[in-house]
Every structure is written in structure tokens, then in C-alpha cells.
Amino acid sequence: MADPATYRPAPGSIPESPGVYRFRDPGGRVIYVGKAKSLRQRLNSYFADFAGLHPRTQTMLTTAASVDWTVVGTEVEALQLEYSWIKEFDPRFNVKYRDDKSYPYLAVTMGEDFPRVQVMRGAKRKGTRYFGPYSHAWAIRETVDLLLRVFPVRTCSAGVFKRAGQIGRPCLLGYIDKCSAPCVGRVTPDEHRALAEDFCDFMAGNTGRFIKRLEREMREAAAVEEYERAARLRDDIQALQRALEKQTVVLGDDTDCDVIALAEDPLEAAVQVFYVRGGRIRGQRGWVVDKVEEAGPGELVEQFLLQMYGEATIPREILVPARPPDEAALIELLSEQRGSRVDLRVPQRGDKKSLMETVERNAKESLAQHKLRRASDLTTRSRALQEIADALDLDQAPLRIECYDVSHIQGENVVASMVVFEDGLARKSEYRRFSIRTAEGDVASIYEVICRRFKRYLEERAATGELDAETEDAAAHDGAAHDGAGYDADGYGAAERGGAATPIDPETGRPRKFAYPPNLVVVDGGPAQAAAAQRALDELGIDDIAVCGLAKRLEEVWLPGDDQPVILPRSSEGLYLLQRVRDEAHRFAITYHRTKRSKSLKESALDHVPGLGPARRQALLRHFGSVKRLREASAEEIREVPGIGRATAEAIVAALRGESPSPAGQGS
């Protein structure tokens, strides 16, 4: 690792002008490219306070061995140069958007003598017009099959086209009027090109003139009693209308825009784009990106726009989820590339806001699917477990990991969760929930839940002894379950309902709730939480279970007693697994906390008034309209409610105002 101080530029040598800078490794390879309104201010921020930087930025600085820069005149020029250098050098520490799949396009090869309509993937070719992208190739073929009736453009390969010309006989599509058969001279090259241009115009959204033209020709044919031709034209109109129906109308007919939405977590982000042309969704595309540098939604949007529209067609309006930091310069750059004004907007209401929410749901689903594919890979899980073992200096890979999280709002309804991952996969039948008895802060809550969990483990072990191999094998095949869980008399969470049975004690017939010890205990938090968990285990005499804490803010791994965190590499599968475990514990804790809070909110001070049943409570609420107005009422006003006597009214007043009721006789 290099010391950033060894290559820090001399004071005063960095200009204050806008520009673009490059960090290079010892071999001269560019590892990061950035832009700045003021190069001096931006570069000094890297070297002024190394300890205060994000860990990913620290890694970049210790990997680099030198930094250089180029001064430009404006922020727009800085954006252009930054994009060019990122494309040229492919720096490892810059955000890189990659397709989450290879999307098919409908392509028309206008650069050929006889343009061809086909499905294409991969890099775009010069002289070819592209429409899409589409989610599936079959969707393109369905659309093309409908449009060939009206625009009989060539779809055959070069070999088929050449052979048909040699034998003087067209292919099947030529005989059924779905190809104008330029291969045998039925149309001239200019006539065929005109058909291809009309096909492109229709796909580009200029649909109205074609339908109107066919309707006019149909009426003219019917007027002169050419009914067969009129019927064919009618079928052509219906084919065009069916092709249009396949493209959902979402905005006004004159709306051309791209709708971009993000879904992100601390490590990755998914981007989805819907292409709207003529008010209709013409295509969709998605990317997944590793967040190798610290970036918020605005920075991600800016980097995405630069990479996406570096070569692609730019619409006149782009809807984004957040404004980029250099919005004015970015709009100027995009407008310059388009040749006319480009509007960058964050929709706030109406149809565009609704469409943005739809695209955002797609982005979230894309990110979830990406995580699922990544988690299901056995090789990846094995590597993740080994990386955790290496980073924490464990004797073996942690095949069973338990993670604990605490959830509350201002110390009320404090709960904790325990989730279990075995071999890198969630074991929901082993999840547990705890209702915290003391409300002295998160650290005390972690200490309590660890004590309770492992006290029960020691009790189970003392009562039943070591689990035999047969039971362990059966436990390895436990299934998933729901989030609902019951509670025993001691306040421990029971196993989640619906999963496979947990190990059964042969003597009592009851499940062994806490019989299995983990290899690693993870707590959601920093050094204080990790120390509390370790203290609980030490007091119980348990010394064969590793402990660590995972802090949310910087994704740092803290070991008990260490002054400095363990920083796992940004691309580490081990960090990714720890994050998934922590997020699952957080989700499970919040689910229980919300359930408990909802239950407490439904309880009322009226529930504890002697002799006041549900019917009279409802009558009181109907009469006064709310508990607030009832609390302000006097005992005499409360007695106006049918069925409420003097003693009951006074008891209600005392309960709602926190007073002791005065002695009184029983109300009538």
C-alpha cells in the first residue's frame, strides 16, 4: 500500500480552475477519474483528512501512487473529458453500469442496398436504425409479423436473399405477400427503401398518417365496389392497430421521454429505464452497478446519464429520481449532443409520477433478482464464508451465522431479532424474536438478548446433552417459514410457524429452541455493541463462538476490543453476505416491532376501567367522537351517555387524567 502523503501535490501547485483528474497505480494504470469545479479544492479534500474519508476512498488512495490533472474551460468540458477518460481507461474505482441482461433490439439495416428488418443484440452498427430495447425477442417478432402485412420489407439473411435471386424464385414470405420480394425484382431498390423508411417512421411513433391513409384508400375502394381490395385494406388497418395495442399508452401522444429510476443498497444499485415515444412505452432496459465509490442518488444519476447518452439517442425530456449535482452543466452537455433543448425533470405528481413509481418497482425487482441469483451460487457462498473466516481470523468457515438487531422508537416497544444463516442461506425456521425487558439503550438490549439466547443454549445442552448425528442431519433439511412467531412464558421467541420441525427433545417431546450454537455471532452496530455481546458470552463461560459487529454507516466490521475496524474489500463476497445477514435481522426486528407497536396503539386507558366493557367503550367514543374530547369532558358530561353511572364516570375521568377515583357508590 502507498502512503498518500508520498504523492500529494505540492501546496499551491494545483490550479483552482475546473478540470479532470486521474489517480494512477504504481504501474501507471488509471484507477480513478473524477471532475471538479475547482481542482485545488477537490484534490485537497483527498489528502487533508485521510481518516475521515470513506473506506472505499481510502482504499483508492492507498492503491494509487500518483495523481495528475487536466485544466478545462467550463464544467461542460469537464463532463465531456471525464466521460471520454472513463471510457478510454475503464478505471476500477469508477462506477460502471453493466446490463443485467443482453437486450434485443428491432433493427433495420438502412445502410444496405436492400434494407433488412431483424432482431439484433450487442454493439450497435453504423447505418442501422434501432428500436427498443425490448424485454423479449418474441415480442419483436410478433410486432414485425403484424407490420410486414402493411410494410413488406425484406427479413431474410444475405445467403437466402442471394440464393433466391440466383434461382429466380422468392421465399415463402414473398408468396404470402409478407415480403415485396426485391430479390427477384418485384420492386425496385428505391421502392423497397421507401417501404423500409415507412416501416421506420411507424416504429418511431408517426403512426397516425399510415392508418388515415389506409382508411382513405379503403373507403375509395369500397366506393368503386372493389370490395376485395377494401377488405384487404381493412385487415391492414387492424394489423397496425394490433401492433399499437401491444405498446401501452402511458402519457400524451406527443410525449417523448426516457424515465429512469434507481433502487440501491450500500453495495449495489439497479437502474431501470422505460423508453416512451409518442406516449407509448416502446422498450425497457436495466443495469446493475457495483458502488465502488461513495455516491448518492444524484451522483449515480449523473454518472448514468453520462455513460448512457454518450452515444445513444437523447430524447427531449428525461425523467430522473434525483437531480444531479452539476445539473446545469449536464443539461447543457446533453442539449449540445442532441442539437436542441433537453429537459431534466424529477416528476412530482400526475401520470409521470405514477410512471416513475412503476419504473422504480421494476428497479427494485431487478435488484432483488440480482441478489437472489448471486446468493444462490454455491461457489460464491463458499468464497464468502472463507473470506469472512480469513478476515476475522477464524479457525474454520462460519457455516452457521446468527445475527441480532434491536428495534424501537425512542425507547418504546423495544424488541430484538435473531436470524440464522447456514451455509450462506437463510434458515427461517430457526429465527427467533425477543421482547426486551430493559430499555436502557441498544447496547444494553444487545447484552440482554445475547445473555438470554445463550443461557437457554446452555440449559438445553445441559438437559439433553450433545445432539446426535441423526438429529443434526435432520436439522440440516429444515425448511423456510413465515414471520409469525409465538412466545413462551419466559419471553423467548418460538420458532416461526409453517417451517419444518425444529429438533425435538426425545424426553419432553418439545422443540429444542436454542440447542445449536453458531460459529459466528454478528450484531448490528459498532464496537460498543460487539463488546456487549462478547461480555455476555464471557460471563456465561462461552469461549468458542466468535463475535463481530457490522456498522451500517461505513460497512465496517468491528471485533471486540479492537480499536480499528476490519475493512473488507469493496468487491468482497464476504462483506456482501454479512450485509445480507444484517439486513435480514433488521427486517425481522422491524416486522415484530411494528406488530407490537400496532397492538399497543390499539390499547386504551379505557381498557382498564372496571366494569367498562366493549359496548360501553364504543358508546363513549361514538358520543364524544375521540378519546381526546372524552379526556376533556367532566364526569357529569360523561354520565349523559346511556349506561354510564356516576361511579363509572368518575373512574373514567380518573383513568384518562391519571388520577385516583374518589370513593363513591356503585353507579346505576
Side-chain angles (χ1 to χ4, degrees):
M1 284 193 196
D3 182 358
T6 60
Y7 63 87
R8 178 176 183 173
S13 64
I14 308 174
E16 296 183 353
S17 308
V20 182
Y21 55 91
R22 294 177 292 193
F23 282 91
R24 299 177 182 268
D25 64 13
R29 179 181 300 174
V30 176
I31 62 172
Y32 183 74
V33 172
K35 70 176 187 318
K37 296 179 182 178
S38 169
L39 284 169
R40 178 178 297 180
Q41 183 177 351
R42 184 70 182 99
L43 288 176
N44 282 340
S45 69
Y46 285 106
F47 301 99
D49 181 18
F50 180 82
L53 296 174
H54 192 281
R56 292 191 286 272
T57 307
Q58 291 179 347
T59 303
M60 186 270 289
L61 287 174
T62 54
T63 304
S66 63
V67 60
D68 58 48
W69 56 84
T70 297
V71 175
V72 296
T74 65
E75 294 177 41
V76 176
E77 292 179 18
L79 282 170
Q80 289 175 319
L81 184 57
E82 181 191 33
Y83 167 72
S84 299
W85 278 0
I86 290 176
K87 184 178 178 182
E88 178 182 354
F89 298 115
D90 191 24
R92 56 176 290 201
F93 285 98
N94 281 94
V95 168
K96 304 180 190 70
Y97 289 91
R98 61 184 187 275
D99 284 350
D100 57 0
K101 64 178 82 172
S102 178
Y103 286 86
Y105 284 80
L106 171 57
V108 185
T109 58
M110 298 301 292
E112 298 183 7
D113 293 337
F114 294 95
R116 175 191 175 193
V117 176
Q118 60 181 316
V119 177
M120 294 185 71
R121 300 177 186 263
K124 295 185 177 180
R125 304 174 186 174
K126 187 176 181 180
T128 300
R129 292 197 62 180
Y130 292 87
F131 302 94
Y134 290 78
S135 299
H136 304 283
W138 56 260
I140 302 178
R141 295 188 179 99
E142 281 188 354
T143 301
V144 170
D145 187 62
L146 290 169
L147 296 182
L148 288 180
R149 180 184 180 91
V150 183
F151 310 107
V153 185
R154 167 199 165 204
T155 58
C156 60
S157 66
V160 173
F161 185 83
K162 182 178 179 181
R163 182 173 179 275
Q166 289 173 343
I167 64 177
R169 189 170 68 245
C171 63
L172 176 62
L173 291 178
Y175 284 107
I176 63 175
D177 295 329
K178 286 198 171 181
C179 178
S180 56
C183 54
V184 294
R186 288 188 184 175
V187 294
T188 66
D190 290 341
E191 290 172 337
H192 184 266
R193 180 168 293 277
L195 285 173
E197 289 174 349
D198 286 346
F199 181 95
C200 292
D201 284 348
F202 184 88
M203 289 302 302
N206 300 324
T207 58
R209 67 184 182 93
F210 295 106
I211 294 178
K212 290 178 181 177
R213 186 189 70 189
L214 292 175
E215 288 176 343
R216 184 179 66 252
E217 292 177 358
M218 180 183 68
R219 288 193 295 268
E220 292 173 353
V224 296
E225 300 182 356
E226 294 182 2
Y227 298 118
E228 290 185 3
R229 180 169 177 268
R232 285 196 301 272
L233 291 168
R234 177 203 60 199
D235 294 342
D236 290 348
I237 294 170
Q238 291 175 350
L240 294 184
Q241 290 173 339
R242 285 198 301 274
L244 289 174
E245 288 169 0
K246 291 180 178 293
Q247 300 165 338
T248 307
V249 178
V250 291
L251 300 172
D253 290 342
D254 60 343
T255 302
D256 291 344
C257 68
D258 288 352
V259 188
I260 301 170
L262 290 169
E264 58 176 320
D265 63 23
L267 295 178
E268 295 176 304
V271 183
Q272 283 282 317
V273 181
F274 277 21
Y275 302 93
V276 179
R277 300 295 183 269
R280 299 174 183 270
I281 298 176
R282 302 286 181 170
Q284 171 188 358
R285 192 174 182 183
W287 291 261
V288 178
V289 60
D290 287 327
K291 295 168 67 176
V292 294
E293 59 175 330
E294 186 178 13
E299 288 83 0
L300 288 173
V301 166
E302 179 180 287
Q303 293 158 357
F304 176 75
L305 293 176
L306 284 173
Q307 294 184 39
M308 177 180 174
Y309 295 116
E311 297 175 351
T313 302
I314 304 175
R316 60 176 174 237
E317 183 178 17
I318 303 173
L319 305 181
V320 295
R323 297 190 181 279
D326 296 326
E327 182 180 2
L330 188 59
I331 289 175
E332 184 179 346
L333 175 61
L334 295 174
S335 299
E336 181 180 315
Q337 291 179 334
R338 173 180 164 82
S340 61
R341 170 74 180 178
V342 174
D343 291 325
L344 205 61
R345 296 176 179 171
V346 179
Q348 302 294 330
R349 62 183 68 85
D351 293 339
K352 292 181 179 179
K353 175 66 172 177
S354 299
L355 181 57
M356 174 65 77
E357 292 171 351
T358 300
V359 182
E360 184 179 354
R361 285 195 297 271
N362 278 266
K364 290 179 179 178
E365 179 64 22
S366 175
L367 184 60
Q369 291 297 322
H370 170 74
K371 285 175 171 286
L372 184 62
R373 288 193 298 269
R374 189 172 179 179
S376 63
D377 184 352
L378 177 61
T379 304
T380 301
R381 297 203 312 271
S382 299
R383 185 167 67 250
L385 293 172
Q386 190 58 51
E387 287 179 0
I388 293 173
D390 294 341
L392 304 185
D393 197 21
L394 306 180
D395 295 334
Q396 60 181 355
L399 298 182
R400 180 181 171 105
I401 300 174
E402 292 181 3
C403 185
Y404 297 82
D405 187 24
V406 175
S407 181
H408 61 86
I409 293 181
Q410 296 181 343
E412 297 293 328
N413 300 313
V414 185
V415 300
S417 67
M418 169 186 127
V419 302
V420 179
F421 275 56
E422 288 191 354
D423 197 22
L425 295 176
R427 284 284 303 277
K428 292 193 174 183
S429 61
E430 298 289 320
Y431 286 14
R432 301 290 183 266
R433 306 186 299 187
F434 301 82
S435 182
I436 299 300
R437 298 162 180 166
T438 59
E440 300 177 358
D442 289 354
V443 174
S445 298
I446 286 290
Y447 173 80
E448 177 186 330
V449 73
I450 296 295
C451 284
R452 287 167 57 183
R453 185 266 185 264
F454 286 98
K455 278 182 182 177
R456 180 60 64 90
Y457 158 64
L458 295 176
E459 292 169 1
E460 293 281 356
R461 189 166 184 172
T464 63
E466 292 290 335
L467 296 174
D468 56 32
E470 198 173 71
T471 305
E472 291 181 357
D473 184 66
H477 294 84
D478 281 358
H482 303 97
D483 281 356
Y487 296 87
D488 57 26
D490 194 29
Y492 291 94
E496 297 186 46
R497 309 296 186 220
T502 53
I504 302 298
D505 188 323
E507 295 182 5
T508 65
R510 296 178 61 190
R512 293 172 175 163
K513 297 176 183 177
F514 294 96
Y516 294 136
N519 303 107
L520 175 64
V521 167
V522 180
V523 294
D524 182 16
Q529 285 81 358
Q534 186 64 60
R535 179 161 52 90
L537 292 177
D538 291 343
E539 291 176 0
L540 294 172
I542 299 174
D543 59 2
D544 57 350
I545 297 176
V547 175
C548 74
L550 182 61
K552 282 192 183 75
R553 189 174 70 91
L554 298 177
E555 304 298 331
E556 301 164 327
V557 180
W558 290 90
L559 295 177
D562 286 2
D563 295 332
Q564 295 296 327
V566 176
I567 304 297
L568 290 172
R570 171 58 192 80
S571 58
S572 166
E573 292 294 340
L575 178 60
Y576 179 78
L577 176 57
L578 288 176
Q579 185 203 24
R580 284 181 52 237
V581 173
R582 189 268 318 280
D583 291 347
E584 177 68 355
H586 185 63
R587 177 200 67 80
F588 195 51
I590 285 180
T591 301
Y592 179 36
H593 170 71
R594 287 173 177 166
T595 301
K596 192 172 183 181
R597 181 161 53 103
S598 297
K599 183 178 179 181
S600 67
L601 289 174
K602 293 177 182 177
E603 295 178 351
S604 167
L606 297 176
D607 296 342
H608 307 293
V609 177
L612 190 63
R616 289 202 284 178
R617 286 201 298 269
Q618 290 295 327
L620 283 167
L621 292 175
R622 280 196 302 269
H623 181 83
F624 289 98
S626 67
V627 175
K628 179 181 178 181
R629 293 180 61 184
L630 176 60
R631 184 177 287 111
E632 296 170 352
S634 65
E636 293 301 320
E637 291 173 327
I638 293 175
R639 289 184 62 187
E640 296 176 3
V641 179
I644 304 296
R646 179 168 56 84
T648 303
E650 291 176 352
I652 292 171
V653 171
L656 293 179
R657 298 179 183 176
E659 303 169 353
S660 299
S662 58
Q666 181 65 36
S668 57

